[in-house]
Amino acid sequence: MGRVTSDTTATDAAAQHAPEPPGAPPVWQRRLRRFGLPVRPQTDVRTRLVPAFPEPSGRLWAVFGAGPEAAARLTRWSAWAGPLLVALFAGVLRFWNLGSPRKVIFDETYYPKDAWSLLQYGYEGTWAKNANDALVGHPPELLLSPEHSYVVHPPMGKWLIALGEGVFGMNPFGWRFMVALLGTLSVLLICRIGRRLLRSTALGCLAGTLLAVDGLHFVMSRTALLDLIVMFWVVAAFGCLLVDRDHTRARLAAALPVGPDGLARPDESVGDRLRLGWRPWRIAAGLCLGLSAATKWNGLYYLAAFALMAVLWDVAARRTAGARRPFRSALRRDVLPAFGATVVVAVATYLASWSGWIATKGGYYRDWATTPEGRTGAWVWVPDWLRSLWHYQTEVYSFHTGLTTPHTYQSNPWSWLVLGRPVSYFYEDPKAGQDGCTVAEGCAREVLALGTPLLWWAACFALLYVLYRWLFQRDWRAGAILCAVAAGYLPWFLYQERTIFLFYAVVFVPFLCLALAMMIGAIIGPPGSTERRRTIGAVGAGVLVLLIAWNFIYFYPLYTGMPIPKSAWHHRMWFDTWV
């Protein structure tokens, strides 16, 4: 090392204060590189706005003897064929013996009966106290009267359940049909969403397969509750926003000027001033978010989170396109249309879901505005039906926030990700010779709303991984997954005193699967890795996926109410809190 002199010290000091060369990354990015922030090469702006889908390799099909042209054709077809095959697998699992157990299990005591009442009257009527036994009796009886009953959830999800009942009748298969269908379609959506998000058909199909073999999603797909319906509309909204994001960025990219070298250049006038025009996919997202909130109110959290996320995507797109003040540009040109396409459309959808209650006169609180209490106040000029509906919503809000009645299977959200306290929907202990039990010790039949343990525990690490990718590698995909998980999970921490259950978490299970697929993709190795690296990674990832599949098979009897020996049931109770 040379001797340090006053001249070298002065030179170093001057270098530290010298102006940054054009295009140099800011100081905060250079500091984050020590934590893993990648050095991003300067690329064509159009490529940064609309990354090309990696050209899939046809080597897999070549192994089976397909020629180059046939391999290329099969690879293109796999973009839809793969997701459809995964959805077919999920559908067979969910529809197989769907009517078993032939009982009204857990909260099916509410929603299927309300759904049938909507078909008859347009509002929820009153059922006799012994209606559950009568429904599954021989012959079944429908002990329903037109006297209104007090219900605390909007009607959209119950209208969907009613579609299955209208086609297949008021029986367990009929009231579970639409939920099983939506559970199957959600697997298809996650395959396609994962493909678009992760730019890999294989990883998209992997995310869908993981969702297909998750125990909580599986049980909820075979039970006529509302939470899986909320999940379906949330996933559909997420997919619509992804498509809107790609289309919007393509519109910006197409408007950019091209330099002499044929590369697109950032342009301030495009980034700051271009109007993004008609955005039907964002409107579709608003419709889906409205349908989720019209099923259960926790869909409102997704409305807020996804609307904010979509605007931030616009800000990032405008910045990449060359906007000098991307936040101000988005505020001027994007926020108001985004509000109309999401919030206004969602509110209109929510109101439309109450059409049966509005159009009839027998619903609970339907004529509240005509009572002496309803005729007072400053809002008497508002239509009676709207004031009655508003009063109904305030009463429901008071019910939900004040629900503190203890329940055997309630759980705190702190324990959800590790499956601390699952929910038993149905349990019987038939003796030998009863209900398919063939062992002397007796059997147990249970439907347990329990996520596939190895999948959920691996997803805990996957969430840490996507958090790292978002914070230190600025990966917007990881941020989108985290946003979706947070919107479905974090709000429940605000209600520590409320009676809540693990099965509420089914709303964000698809995004846990996307996070896990993203982590497995990193385990396999990025494109360009050595064959040795990718082989070792593929073996490790394959072992993990096979263990998750085995775990689902192991707990399958507890998901479907199959009779198993008492000893086998005890072996599957891995923790005391599962009993």
Side-chain angles (χ1 to χ4, degrees):
M1 181 181 292
R3 184 164 56 93
V4 178
T5 65
S6 59
D7 292 337
T8 59
T9 304
T11 302
D12 291 342
Q16 291 177 4
H17 295 285
E20 297 287 350
V27 175
W28 68 270
Q29 287 189 17
R30 297 200 299 272
R31 288 176 177 171
L32 282 179
R33 281 175 183 166
R34 69 187 67 175
F35 297 102
L37 183 72
V39 179
R40 299 187 182 275
Q42 294 298 316
T43 58
D44 178 25
V45 179
R46 186 177 288 116
T47 302
R48 289 162 55 197
L49 281 169
V50 190
F53 198 97
E55 190 66 29
S57 172
R59 288 186 300 174
L60 175 63
W61 301 110
V63 170
F64 295 100
E69 292 186 6
R73 192 182 309 114
L74 289 169
T75 300
R76 289 195 302 271
W77 289 352
S78 67
W80 272 104
L84 287 172
L85 285 174
V86 174
L88 177 62
F89 166 70
V92 170
L93 284 176
R94 280 149 180 76
F95 281 97
W96 183 265
N97 206 18
L98 181 61
S100 177
R102 185 177 168 76
K103 302 282 186 178
V104 177
I105 64 174
F106 200 61
D107 279 357
E108 285 187 342
T109 190
Y110 302 116
Y111 312 123
K113 293 189 294 186
D114 287 345
W116 184 262
S117 180
L118 289 175
L119 280 179
Q120 309 307 311
Y121 309 126
Y123 62 90
E124 293 86 348
T126 299
W127 291 79
K129 290 185 178 181
N130 61 333
N132 290 355
D133 294 332
L135 282 174
V136 294
H138 300 283
E141 293 184 78
L142 304 176
L143 306 181
L144 172 65
S145 71
E147 178 67 23
H148 58 228
S149 63
Y150 180 57
V151 295
V152 295
H153 291 300
M156 188 63 237
K158 290 170 281 190
W159 277 114
L160 287 174
I161 293 172
L163 290 179
E165 295 174 344
V167 175
F168 299 102
M170 186 57 174
N171 54 69
F173 182 87
W175 65 62
R176 294 169 188 161
F177 176 83
M178 283 303 299
V179 183
L181 179 62
L182 295 181
T184 301
L185 291 177
S186 68
V187 172
L188 176 62
L189 287 177
I190 284 297
C191 289
R192 293 290 298 176
I193 287 170
R195 182 181 185 273
R196 182 177 289 270
L197 186 71
L198 304 178
R199 287 298 194 264
S200 167
T201 300
L203 290 181
C205 290
L206 174 62
T209 303
L210 292 172
L211 186 60
V213 298
D214 174 64
L216 183 61
H217 186 274
F218 177 73
V219 171
M220 297 298 289
S221 297
R222 292 169 53 88
T223 312
L225 272 63
L226 300 179
D227 300 83
L228 186 125
I229 300 175
V230 176
M231 179 227 67
F232 174 81
W233 294 120
V234 166
V235 169
F238 187 82
C240 290
L241 289 176
L242 277 182
V243 177
D244 173 75
R245 181 185 186 274
D246 286 351
H247 286 187
T248 300
R249 294 171 75 90
R251 194 172 300 153
L252 281 168
L256 292 173
V258 179
D261 54 0
L263 298 179
R265 296 283 188 266
D267 185 85
E268 180 182 341
S269 62
V270 172
D272 275 326
R273 298 184 181 88
L274 182 70
R275 295 189 179 277
L276 298 177
W278 174 251
R279 301 174 70 169
W281 284 103
R282 180 171 280 185
I283 295 173
L287 175 65
C288 292
L289 291 168
L291 291 170
S292 72
T295 302
K296 284 186 80 171
W297 278 5
N298 54 321
L300 293 172
Y301 292 112
Y302 275 100
L303 173 61
F306 282 3
L308 177 61
M309 180 179 70
V311 170
L312 291 178
W313 283 351
D314 288 346
V315 171
R318 288 188 178 277
R319 179 188 291 115
T320 302
R324 293 186 61 187
R325 298 177 180 86
F327 279 96
R328 189 170 73 176
S329 299
L331 184 64
R332 285 181 174 179
R333 291 177 169 79
D334 302 325
V335 169
L336 189 59
F339 181 85
T342 54
V343 177
V344 174
V345 170
V347 170
T349 303
Y350 182 86
L351 287 176
S353 73
W354 286 88
S355 297
W357 182 90
I358 295 169
T360 59
K361 290 295 184 182
Y364 204 87
Y365 280 133
R366 176 61 184 85
D367 296 322
W368 175 85
T370 63
T371 65
E373 181 185 0
R375 290 185 181 134
T376 60
W379 299 94
V380 292
W381 54 273
V382 176
D384 288 349
W385 68 266
L386 186 55
R387 284 189 292 126
S388 295
L389 181 61
W390 177 257
H391 178 73
Y392 196 172
Q393 307 308 295
T394 59
E395 292 296 312
V396 169
Y397 177 78
S398 299
F399 170 84
H400 283 306
T401 56
L403 183 61
T404 57
T405 305
H407 192 283
T408 304
Y409 290 103
Q410 70 183 66
S411 61
N412 192 286
W414 287 106
S415 69
W416 286 359
L417 291 179
V418 294
L419 302 174
R421 182 61 170 165
V423 184
S424 180
Y425 287 175
F426 166 79
Y427 181 85
E428 286 184 348
D429 50 354
K431 306 301 181 184
Q434 299 177 351
D435 294 334
C437 181
T438 59
V439 294
E441 65 176 301
C443 296
R445 294 184 64 201
E446 184 169 28
V447 176
L448 186 66
L450 170 73
T452 303
L454 292 185
L455 190 156
W456 282 63
W457 298 338
C460 292
F461 293 98
L463 288 177
L464 294 176
Y465 171 71
V466 295
L467 180 63
Y468 160 78
R469 288 286 294 259
W470 180 53
L471 289 177
F472 297 117
Q473 297 195 350
R474 296 182 300 155
D475 193 326
W476 70 270
R477 303 170 301 171
I481 293 172
L482 287 172
C483 175
V485 173
Y489 184 35
L490 296 184
W492 293 110
F493 288 93
L494 301 174
Y495 305 101
Q496 293 288 310
E497 301 301 322
R498 190 184 184 277
T499 307
I500 53 180
F501 302 91
L502 170 66
F503 66 81
Y504 295 170
V506 73
V507 181
F508 60 82
V509 166
F511 304 102
L512 294 182
C513 295
L514 286 172
L516 189 51
M518 191 175 189
M519 185 181 75
I520 289 174
I523 292 173
I524 295 173
S529 300
T530 63
E531 286 293 326
R532 177 181 173 83
R533 164 70 179 84
R534 290 182 71 85
T535 300
I536 295 174
V539 170
V543 170
L544 176 59
V545 173
L546 288 175
L547 286 174
I548 290 172
W550 163 83
N551 206 208
F552 173 77
I553 295 170
Y554 180 72
F555 284 100
Y556 182 82
L558 298 188
Y559 299 144
T560 57
M562 292 174 56
I564 57 175
K566 276 282 187 69
S567 57
W569 179 84
H570 281 292
H571 291 158
R572 287 165 172 78
M573 295 295 106
W574 286 359
F575 301 100
D576 292 341
T577 56
W578 288 9
V579 179

